[in-house]
Amino acid sequence: MLVPCLKMNRALFSLGQMMPIARSLSRCAACCQVITNPEEIARIYRQLSLFPSLSSANVGPVITSQYGGKYSNIYTEWSQRELESNENVKFCKQYIVFHDDKSVVFSAPSGNCTKVQGVLLSRDAPSGEMKAVIRKSTVKGEENQFLEIWNKNMVKSINLTALKKHGKVYEDALFGCLVWSQSETHLLYVAEKKRPKAESFFQTESSALSSSVDEEGGLRSEKKDAVKGEQFVFYEDWGEDLVKKSSPVLCVLDIEGNNVSVLEGVPENISPGQAFWAPGDTGVVFVGWRHEPLRLGLRSCPNRRSSLYYVDLTGGKCEQLASDNSAVFSPRLSPDQCRIVYLENTLFGAHMQCSRLCMYDWYTKKTSVVVDVVKRPREDGFTGIYCTQLPPKCWSADSQQIIFACPQRSRKELLAVDINTGSVTSLTSTSAMGAWNLLTIERDLIVASCASPNCPPSLRVGFLPTRDSEEQMVWITLEESQTLPEIDWQILTLVPPSDQDNSQYPGLDFEALLIKPKEEKDGAKLPLIVYPHGGPHSVTVADWLLSPAVYCKLGFAVLLVNYRGSIGFGQDNILSLPGNIGTQDVQDVQFAVESVLKGDEFDRHKLAVAGGSHGGFLACHLIGQYPSYYKACVAFNPVVNLASMVCITDIPDWCLFEAGSDYTANSLYEPAVWEQMLSKSPVKHVSQVKTPVLLLLGEDDKRVPHKQGIEYYRALKAKQVPVRLLMYPGNNHSLPNVDAESDSFMNSALWFVQHLFE
């Protein structure tokens, strides 16, 4: 799902183009109370973009003070947009928490914030005595990666790039890891496999020589080992956000000897990741994803063939621990080192699904299902597990419970699962906050963040109640955020009309999140921006959302629709959509809009629609199926033609499955399949479009390549529909760069102003 926005100094050029329009619309501000001045819009965006978000936390060891009290230090990392420097600045904050192992007695900040620079991965040793950091740094104009060991000061720094044992270290959340052995003598991480140097067929022997320094300090020439004619060989990577990540290897650093070795025994046809040390440091447990026949995109796609493996360090033997006919991910070893829990999905089908929570007993070698797939919400309200990963630390101290955050309908809650009974308890069900995230749990001390559409993230801690206890979580706030009382939000439950019920999965409902200014000034009706999410198997939870918050401050209301097919509502809800995209999801969004408009606080003549990816697919469908209903449309990297997308995307299976066909990598598609994909696409209705459209495209998007947007742009130009296209170099599907985020927001806001108030 895409997040609108881009950079101020670049945005000023766009603002200059829009200034005459905005000035001509200034009269609208008096009648509708919507802010239309570009400088004021930019000021509000800048103000709200300053709220930081929490990315990680770590709890230090328990220390006993000279007076007998116990305390722990909590280290947290935050991220904040910096518009001037065009970067997401990372910084750390520390807190001290006095406790009695059951409750927090006192807590306070400890020291000032410190900027974190160049850190790719970091991990504290089990004892808390040392810290490992993988950092990138520029050496003589080239980027190098260093592995540093710290205690009170830096103990050592090893240039991994100079060792030439492997390629770049993987820092992503899907493959990447940095794990201490229990003995704290070795570190485990994942890096790209080293490839032999390639050279031209016409490389001469003299030019293939390199210089190095001999033992006496003199220069000597060495012949490079190179393979001729291999410079331009194509290597498949793992798709969107994993570009140039093709063949990962498991690497081990011997800290004392400064030696790095690449583990042998991993099958050539799998990519290892999410690794950790086996009990007793006897080997390494990891998830392995199959290469053949194709590497399909992995980001947000936990439905790829994968399994759990163990490689023995002594003999190099690799053993498969879990089923080979499913998708396995996010394994976590219990503190007592007896059990491994992991998530499991069915192969292919919906990219995001309701997952099983499975458990592997290290000593009995038996696998069990702790929590199964939930088809419909249970009587206790539990709707199933929907996670791309479990937190790195998610076990209770007694190794009997798993704690994680998970969407439950349109909220995100902290859940505790008893591994013996499979019972699920919400730790935040009584909270007024709409979204919780687990940062870590250590010795049953939970560190979490919480937020709502009118409240940026806050930091809280609390001790996990004991098993079978009826005690409620008691949360202590370490860092309070500023609530915006002028923004109101509510979750609407919607039941589609009987003629739109799904005959195969009847009786399903869905929800929408309505965010709006708390008070309408002078009785003026609010313009409404409709925002369906992408995926389609995703969800918008009641979290802090920058763009909707800014729109509310400008005087707009925003309706975020979790149509049928969204995660968090049960597996049946998800399965109801494939084969029905372009109809069921479109009808749900339109029904949500019409239901909201029955009230008298919204101006039905000032409706806009926006969305990214599949949300852009829906936005383009809505303006085609309901001509003139929406006065403005903004689409971020939208899917507009599944038939043309299937050959160029990193997820061709998505195009077929969502259109209603089965996917096999070696199938030759019949004409009927291409016709089916085309019939589900927004481009089918382009001849009916009258709404002005702004297209925002990432030039490096591998998921929905930018040619999709260009195809729609050309079709609209041919129909003489007002259309504008912005292309963002260096940005992928989510338009993640700060300048792309802020500029796309400014252009979107001014597009709405221009076309809703003309």
Side-chain angles (χ1 to χ4, degrees):
M1 179 172 145
L2 300 185
V3 183
C5 286
L6 214 48
K7 182 180 177 186
M8 278 312 115
N9 55 10
R10 184 179 295 177
L12 290 177
F13 176 76
S14 301
L15 294 180
Q17 289 182 319
M18 302 293 285
M19 280 286 282
I21 296 171
R23 275 197 294 265
S24 68
L25 294 170
S26 61
R27 62 182 183 276
C28 297
C31 62
C32 66
Q33 304 299 332
V34 171
I35 294 172
T36 61
N37 181 273
E39 285 81 4
E40 182 64 9
I41 294 173
R43 185 193 66 78
I44 294 173
Y45 179 86
R46 181 187 295 273
Q47 180 187 45
L48 296 192
S49 70
L50 292 176
F51 288 112
S53 60
L54 276 151
S55 55
S56 66
N58 185 66
V59 180
V62 175
I63 301 171
T64 302
S65 72
Q66 60 180 335
Y67 305 106
K70 294 180 180 179
Y71 68 91
S72 297
N73 290 306
I74 297 180
Y75 173 93
T76 62
E77 288 193 1
W78 302 65
S79 179
Q80 182 177 358
R81 297 170 180 84
E82 176 51 59
L83 299 177
E84 282 74 15
S85 62
N86 183 30
E87 63 176 328
N88 280 304
V89 177
K90 293 184 178 180
F91 60 93
C92 66
K93 290 184 180 182
Q94 294 194 60
Y95 306 84
I96 187 169
V97 175
F98 285 86
H99 58 84
D100 58 7
D101 293 328
K102 293 182 180 179
S103 60
V104 175
V105 178
F106 173 79
S107 62
S110 175
N112 296 318
C113 302
T114 306
K115 186 176 181 179
V116 178
Q117 293 182 309
V119 174
L120 301 176
L121 295 167
S122 65
R123 184 74 63 190
D124 282 1
S127 65
E129 297 291 325
M130 293 184 289
K131 186 184 187 74
V133 175
I134 293 181
R135 191 187 309 272
K136 63 179 179 181
S137 182
T138 301
V139 178
K140 295 182 179 179
E142 294 185 2
E143 183 181 297
N144 282 233
Q145 293 181 330
F146 292 82
L147 200 160
E148 304 166 354
I149 307 296
W150 293 78
N151 50 27
K152 295 180 180 179
N153 56 288
M154 185 190 292
V155 176
K156 62 177 59 183
S157 176
I158 301 169
N159 189 332
L160 298 177
T161 304
L163 291 179
K164 298 182 178 179
K165 293 293 185 72
H166 52 70
K168 288 190 174 182
V169 175
Y170 283 33
E171 82 293 348
D172 60 274
L174 201 146
F175 285 103
C177 63
L178 181 60
V179 191
W180 289 85
S181 61
Q182 281 86 36
S183 61
E184 300 188 2
T185 59
H186 293 76
L187 281 163
L188 172 67
Y189 60 93
V190 177
E192 180 68 15
K193 180 180 180 180
K194 181 185 178 184
R195 300 190 188 279
K197 184 175 179 58
E199 65 182 21
S200 166
F201 285 112
F202 305 100
Q203 185 83 31
T204 62
E205 185 172 335
S206 60
S207 62
L209 295 178
S210 63
S211 296
S212 62
V213 180
D214 61 25
E215 294 179 357
E216 297 179 355
L219 289 176
R220 64 186 178 191
S221 295
E222 297 177 341
K223 189 176 186 305
K224 296 179 180 178
D225 294 326
V227 180
K228 290 187 179 293
E230 297 283 322
Q231 309 109 295
F232 307 112
V233 171
F234 171 71
Y235 294 101
E236 279 188 338
D237 57 32
W238 285 106
E240 174 70 17
D241 219 25
L242 297 167
V243 174
K244 296 184 179 180
K245 294 180 178 178
S246 175
S247 300
V249 290
L250 301 175
C251 306
V252 174
L253 168 70
D254 179 344
I255 298 173
E256 186 64 31
N258 293 348
N259 297 319
V260 172
S261 57
V262 176
L263 293 189
E264 297 180 353
V266 178
E268 289 291 329
N269 66 331
I270 66 172
S271 285
Q274 301 183 5
F276 57 89
W277 296 94
D281 293 344
T282 58
V284 172
V285 178
F286 63 92
V287 174
W289 285 269
R290 289 285 193 93
H291 295 172
E292 302 301 336
L294 299 170
R295 286 174 176 81
L296 298 176
L298 276 179
R299 180 188 176 185
S300 303
C301 304
N303 66 334
R304 308 304 190 202
R305 187 183 298 276
S306 53
S307 189
L308 200 62
Y309 295 87
Y310 166 71
V311 60
D312 191 325
L313 289 182
T314 55
K317 180 182 177 182
C318 191
E319 177 186 357
Q320 187 171 309
L321 306 180
S323 168
D324 189 40
N325 198 37
S326 60
V328 168
F329 56 104
S330 200
R332 301 291 185 258
L333 179 65
S334 61
D336 62 11
Q337 300 201 0
C338 293
R339 306 169 191 85
I340 299 171
V341 293
Y342 59 89
L343 297 172
E344 182 183 72
N345 285 352
T346 56
L347 287 180
F348 295 112
H351 283 174
M352 287 296 298
Q353 315 169 10
C354 184
S355 301
R356 293 180 181 86
L357 179 65
C358 300
M359 184 169 63
Y360 176 82
D361 190 296
W362 186 254
Y363 296 101
T364 66
K365 311 300 181 186
K366 292 182 178 179
T367 301
S368 58
V369 176
V370 179
V371 179
D372 210 339
V373 171
V374 176
K375 293 184 177 181
R376 300 278 176 123
R378 299 192 320 205
E379 290 185 2
D380 60 1
F382 177 60
T383 65
I385 298 175
Y386 309 89
C387 300
T388 55
Q389 63 175 342
L390 297 171
K393 291 187 176 182
C394 59
W395 282 92
S396 60
D398 61 3
S399 299
Q400 299 300 306
Q401 295 184 80
I402 299 293
I403 318 299
F404 55 90
C406 178
Q408 299 290 285
R409 298 180 72 88
S410 296
R411 294 177 180 267
K412 192 173 186 181
E413 298 187 12
L414 289 187
L415 303 177
V417 177
D418 188 313
I419 64 167
N420 298 300
T421 65
S423 63
V424 182
T425 305
S426 173
L427 302 177
T428 55
S429 58
T430 59
S431 170
M433 290 294 187
W436 286 77
N437 280 297
L438 176 64
L439 299 172
T440 191
I441 177 172
E442 187 73 42
R443 300 178 296 275
D444 287 346
L445 180 62
I446 297 176
V447 184
S449 66
C450 58
S452 290
N454 63 348
C455 183
S458 298
L459 177 65
R460 299 189 182 181
V461 295
F463 277 92
L464 177 69
T466 56
R467 288 175 64 211
D468 303 323
S469 169
E470 295 185 0
E471 296 178 14
Q472 297 291 319
M473 280 289 307
V474 177
W475 294 103
I476 303 298
T477 301
L478 293 185
E479 190 80 37
E480 188 70 85
S481 187
Q482 174 187 343
T483 301
L484 305 179
E486 65 272 28
I487 295 178
D488 192 18
W489 65 276
Q490 62 183 123
I491 296 173
L492 310 174
T493 301
L494 300 155
V495 179
S498 57
D499 62 334
Q500 295 178 12
D501 201 15
N502 188 302
S503 59
Q504 189 176 358
Y505 298 96
L508 300 173
D509 63 5
F510 64 99
E511 291 183 343
L513 180 61
L514 179 62
I515 309 174
K516 62 186 181 67
K518 195 152 195 174
E519 295 181 3
E520 298 81 39
K521 299 176 182 178
D522 302 325
K525 293 188 176 183
L526 295 170
L528 179 66
I529 302 172
V530 181
Y531 213 128
H533 62 71
H537 309 299
S538 178
V539 67
T540 301
V541 295
D543 205 342
W544 168 250
L545 305 165
L546 175 60
S547 295
V550 178
Y551 281 128
C552 285
K553 294 277 283 185
L554 298 180
F556 293 89
V558 181
L559 183 69
L560 302 113
V561 185
N562 291 322
Y563 45 86
R564 283 173 293 172
S566 303
I567 62 173
F569 294 80
Q571 183 74 348
D572 281 0
N573 207 297
I574 292 172
L575 295 178
S576 72
L577 184 55
N580 297 310
I581 60 169
T583 51
Q584 178 177 292
D585 45 4
V586 173
Q587 290 172 350
D588 282 357
V589 176
Q590 187 65 16
F591 178 70
V593 175
E594 292 175 356
S595 299
V596 166
L597 291 180
K598 289 179 180 178
D600 60 356
E601 57 184 324
F602 305 103
D603 190 338
R604 62 175 54 249
H605 300 295
K606 291 182 174 58
L607 300 178
V609 62
S613 193
H614 190 85
F617 170 94
L618 291 174
C620 295
H621 257 301
L622 286 161
I623 62 174
Q625 294 189 36
Y626 301 91
S628 303
Y629 194 87
Y630 298 93
K631 304 304 180 185
C633 172
V634 175
F636 304 80
N637 292 319
V639 175
V640 299
N641 186 345
L642 281 79
S644 61
M645 174 179 157
V646 71
C647 298
I648 56 175
T649 178
D650 68 329
I651 51 168
D653 61 306
W654 181 91
C655 298
L656 275 79
F657 176 73
E658 297 299 341
S661 299
D662 293 329
Y663 169 80
T664 56
N666 60 353
S667 61
L668 296 175
Y669 309 128
E670 298 294 330
V673 175
W674 294 91
E675 183 179 349
Q676 184 182 39
M677 287 190 288
L678 184 60
S679 70
K680 304 289 184 181
S681 302
V683 74
K684 176 185 176 183
H685 305 284
V686 72
S687 62
Q688 299 172 198
V689 174
K690 299 177 182 177
T691 304
V693 177
L694 174 64
L695 294 165
L696 305 166
L697 309 180
E699 192 172 60
D700 299 337
D701 189 349
K702 297 193 74 171
R703 181 119 314 169
V704 184
H706 65 263
K707 290 185 178 180
Q708 281 281 291
I710 291 175
E711 180 180 344
Y712 200 61
Y713 172 81
R714 289 174 174 171
L716 293 175
K717 290 286 283 187
K719 300 296 295 182
Q720 297 185 331
V721 176
V723 59
R724 187 171 185 235
L725 188 152
L726 300 179
M727 183 76 71
Y728 297 111
N731 282 266
N732 58 21
H733 190 55
S734 58
L735 301 182
N737 295 349
V738 172
D739 59 351
E741 187 187 28
S742 55
D743 181 81
S744 59
F745 175 83
M746 289 300 302
N747 276 283
S748 299
L750 294 172
W751 190 259
F752 294 144
V753 166
Q754 176 187 356
H755 295 287
L756 293 186
F757 303 109
E758 62 183 1

